[in-house]
């Protein structure tokens, strides 16, 4: 039985004071919920302050990115050692904004996935197609390529712990979510590829989320699909009311 999983990706939003206020509200609003893994992913600058607030609560900490090296001359980067040291359990890797705006390719993302495991962090790996790829009928090809290139070096035991977020890029931040049947079709395909790359145990164990304009009023349509285990939430994770309603909608 896979545990449900709801993660909030705050992206480049929130000063430290705003981050503290948001997460204080979430701790209060979500206390007592124990059937869903709840993760917040603030910007790097707020990780430490947010960690202080969530300590002892049912909310875990994730980062939005990292470099794969432990330390050295990599100006502007953050290492897995630093994330672990500050109390992160998760790290989002391969988000479409990293791929699209910052030019991250599969070979780099694969190194990050391996490094996350080497340092005791659980990757939340984002995969998904652009609108033009979908319109060209390439959705499955794109998603399969990302999975095969970025997860190929993991052991079965590591793979079972990875959280995959299927995020069609045309649905991110646009207010236009995929339908639950669009999402289910691709998520079922992802499970098929995982069975082929690893085995059926892996296919059944991996948690796969949908991401792309998830809101309080559409979360239940995704959660009623047996193969969708939760959501990666961007815009709607920035307010106590909407993120709490999404978590509660996943119960
Ligand atoms: C995201 O950035 O991962 C995301 C899903 O954003 P939004 O919910 O705003 O579409």
């Amino acid at each position: 039985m896979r545990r449900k999983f709801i993660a909030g990706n705050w992206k480049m939003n929130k000063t430290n004071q705003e981050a503290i206020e948001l997460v204080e509200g979430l701790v209060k609003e979500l206390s007592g919920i124990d059937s869903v893994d709840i993760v917040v992913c603030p910007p790097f600058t707020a990780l430490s302050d947010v960690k202080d607030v969530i300590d002892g609560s049912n909310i875990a900490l994730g980062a939005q990115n990292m470099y794969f090296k432990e330390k050295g001359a990599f100006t502007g980067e953050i290492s897995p050692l630093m994330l672990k040291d500050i109390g992160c359990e998760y790290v989002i890797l391969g988000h479409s904004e990293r791929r699209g705006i910052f030019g991250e390719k599969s070979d780099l993302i694969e190194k990050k996935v391996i490094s996350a495991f080497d340092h005791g962090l659980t990757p939340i790996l984002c995969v998904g197609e652009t609108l033009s790829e979908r319109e060209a009928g390439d959705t499955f090809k794109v998603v399969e390529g990302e999975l095969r290139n970025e997860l190929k070096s993991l052991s079965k035991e590591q793979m079972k712990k990875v959280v995959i977020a299927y995020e069609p890029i045309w649905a991110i931040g646009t207010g236009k979510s995929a339908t639950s049947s669009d999402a289910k079709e691709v998520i079922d395909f992802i499970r098929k590829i995982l069975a082929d790359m690893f085995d059926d145990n892996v296919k059944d164990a991996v948690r796969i989320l949908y991401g792309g304009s998830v809101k309080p009023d559409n979360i239940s349509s995704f959660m009623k699909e047996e193969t969708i285990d939760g959501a990666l939430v961007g815009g709607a994770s920035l307010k106590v009311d909407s993120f709490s309603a999404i978590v509660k909608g996943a119960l």
Side-chain angles (χ1 to χ4, degrees):
M1 182 67 175
R2 297 184 298 269
R3 253 177 88 75
K4 293 171 192 165
F5 192 104
I6 302 285
N9 173 14
W10 296 4
K11 310 195 187 193
M12 197 175 72
N13 292 292
K14 305 293 178 189
T15 63
N16 278 25
Q17 191 49 42
E18 290 167 344
I20 289 167
E21 282 165 22
L22 170 55
V23 81
E24 279 176 348
L26 293 175
V27 166
K28 221 164 120 197
E29 200 57 44
L30 299 174
S31 77
I33 294 177
D34 61 6
S35 60
V36 182
D37 285 341
I38 307 166
V39 180
V40 291
C41 303
F44 293 130
T45 43
L47 284 170
S48 196
D49 281 348
V50 167
K51 177 65 183 162
D52 288 344
V53 178
I54 62 178
D55 246 358
S57 79
N58 55 349
I59 301 178
L61 191 65
Q64 299 173 21
N65 184 30
M66 62 172 216
Y67 196 50
F68 65 92
K69 297 275 195 180
E70 282 189 353
K71 60 181 173 180
F74 304 103
T75 302
E77 292 293 327
I78 299 284
S79 92
L81 274 186
M82 296 166 184
L83 297 182
K84 194 67 191 167
D85 182 57
I86 223 167
C88 286
E89 293 176 51
Y90 297 91
V91 58
I92 298 173
L93 296 174
H95 190 279
S96 61
E97 287 150 16
R98 299 300 318 170
R99 294 177 194 261
I101 303 171
F102 300 101
E104 292 195 12
K105 299 274 183 287
S106 281
D107 57 345
L108 175 63
I109 296 166
E110 186 199 11
K111 289 191 179 89
K112 293 184 179 194
V113 169
I114 295 167
S115 175
F117 274 112
D118 288 347
H119 295 89
L121 293 160
T122 299
I124 302 172
L125 177 70
C126 302
V127 298
E129 80 287 1
T130 62
L131 183 58
S132 57
E133 288 163 343
R134 172 159 280 255
E135 286 172 347
D138 287 340
T139 298
F140 296 113
K141 194 174 92 186
V142 169
V143 170
E144 179 171 356
E146 290 173 339
L147 295 170
R148 290 199 184 272
N149 288 323
E150 295 160 21
L151 299 171
K152 63 179 182 296
S153 314
L154 297 185
S155 68
K156 289 179 187 173
E157 288 318 303
Q158 287 174 324
M159 188 58 226
K160 285 181 188 167
K161 296 189 189 123
V162 175
V163 178
I164 295 177
Y166 167 56
E167 300 210 306
I169 296 164
W170 46 272
I172 295 180
T174 59
K176 182 178 182 286
S177 73
T179 64
S180 57
S181 61
D182 287 339
K184 178 187 177 337
E185 188 186 21
V186 180
I187 287 173
D188 287 350
F189 173 77
I190 291 173
R191 292 199 191 281
K192 204 177 97 201
I193 298 300
L194 294 179
D196 185 57
M197 290 175 69
F198 299 93
D199 62 21
D200 276 0
N201 291 331
V202 169
K203 175 198 87 174
D204 293 333
V206 171
R207 288 182 293 177
I208 309 183
L209 319 178
Y210 166 74
S213 298
V214 171
K215 303 273 182 288
D217 62 5
N218 62 17
I219 181 67
S220 60
S221 71
F222 296 105
M223 297 310 297
K224 75 173 173 8
E225 300 292 351
E226 196 255 322
T227 52
I228 304 180
D229 302 310
L232 180 57
V233 184
S237 71
L238 296 174
K239 291 209 166 98
V240 175
D241 288 0
S242 48
F243 191 64
S244 303
I246 289 171
V247 172
K248 290 174 187 171
L251 292 177

